[in-house]
Amino acid sequence: MNEIIALLAGIGLAAACGFRVFVPLFMASLAANTGIGAEFLGGGFDVEALLGQHHWLGSTPVTLALGVATVLEIGSYYIPWLDNTLDSIATPAAVLAGTLLSGEFMPELLDDTALKWILGAIIGGSTAGIVQISTVVARGTSTATTGGVGNPAVSTAELGGSVLTASLAIVLPVVAGILVLCLVFYAVRLLLRRLRRSSNQMDAG
C-alpha cells in the first residue's frame, strides 16, 4: 500500500512539473530535507532518505540550489515575451523532471534497473509533458488575444497549480492522484479541441 501511495506522490509531483519545472523539485527536496510527508512517502524512500541523510534530493545544498532556481523561474515568467521563449525550454525540461521525480518514487524492487526509468518516462514524463503543452497553448492563446497583457494572470495560475499539485502530492498523494487524472483529461481535451480547430481552419483555407 505504501508503495502505491509513493507512486501516486511521484505522479503528482511529475504533473506539477508541467506547470513549473523547479517548484515541485524544490518542494520535494524540502520535504526530503525536513521529513514532511515521511509517513506517506516511506514506501518510495526510506525514512533516512526523506530526512535528507542519504538521498541526493534531501541534501541541503541541493535544496538551496533548487530554491534559487525556483525563484528565478517564477520571476522569469512575469517578464513580457520571455515567458513564451521559456516554454520552448520548459517543455523538454518538464518531461525530464517528471521522469526523474516519478522514477525516484518507484517501488524499491525496481532500483538499479532500466525499467524504473522507462516507467518513469512513460508515467511521469508523459504526464508532465501533457500538462506543459496545455500551458503552452493557454499562454499562446493569451498572447494572441491580449497581446501578452493577460500572460501574468496565466503565469500566476500556473504557479498556483504547481504549488497546489506538489503540496497535495507530498501530504495527500491519493487526492493528488485524482487531481492528476482530472488535469490530464482536461489537458488532452484542450489539445484535441485546438487540433480540431486548426484542422478546420486549414480545410477552410
Side-chain angles (χ1 to χ4, degrees):
M1 185 63 179
N2 283 341
E3 292 185 347
I4 295 176
I5 291 176
L7 182 60
L8 290 174
I11 294 173
L13 288 168
C17 289
F19 292 112
R20 285 292 178 273
V21 175
F22 288 108
V23 168
L25 282 167
F26 170 63
M27 293 180 68
S29 182
L30 189 62
N33 214 327
T34 62
I36 296 174
E39 64 275 21
F40 298 105
L41 307 184
F45 296 125
D46 57 44
V47 175
E48 288 184 334
L50 277 170
L51 293 176
Q53 296 177 16
H54 298 294
H55 197 280
W56 70 269
L57 202 58
S59 165
T60 297
V62 169
T63 302
L64 292 175
L66 288 173
V68 172
T70 298
V71 171
L72 292 175
E73 180 185 32
I74 291 173
S76 297
Y77 272 96
Y78 286 99
I79 299 176
W81 303 108
L82 180 59
D83 54 354
N84 289 297
T85 303
L86 286 173
D87 278 337
S88 62
I89 303 172
T91 299
V95 172
L96 288 174
T99 299
L100 175 64
L101 282 172
S102 59
E104 289 290 358
F105 282 79
M106 288 291 170
E108 292 181 357
L109 60 89
L110 295 178
D111 283 351
D112 302 321
T113 66
L115 182 60
K116 171 180 177 177
W117 300 111
I118 293 174
L119 291 175
I122 294 173
I123 299 174
S126 61
T127 298
I130 290 171
V131 174
Q132 168 62 21
I133 292 173
S134 69
T135 67
V136 172
V137 171
R139 183 173 290 99
T141 301
S142 174
T143 300
T145 57
T146 70
V149 175
N151 287 20
V154 175
S155 295
T156 300
E158 291 171 353
L159 175 59
S162 186
V163 171
L164 174 62
T165 307
S167 298
L168 288 175
I170 293 170
V171 298
L172 293 172
V174 175
V175 176
I178 296 173
L179 176 62
V180 169
L181 286 176
C182 296
L183 283 173
V184 170
F185 174 79
Y186 172 77
V188 170
R189 184 178 178 183
L190 176 65
L191 294 174
L192 289 176
R193 185 182 303 169
R194 181 64 179 267
L195 289 173
R196 192 178 301 116
R197 186 179 306 164
S198 298
S199 177
N200 290 338
Q201 291 175 347
M202 292 178 63
D203 292 339

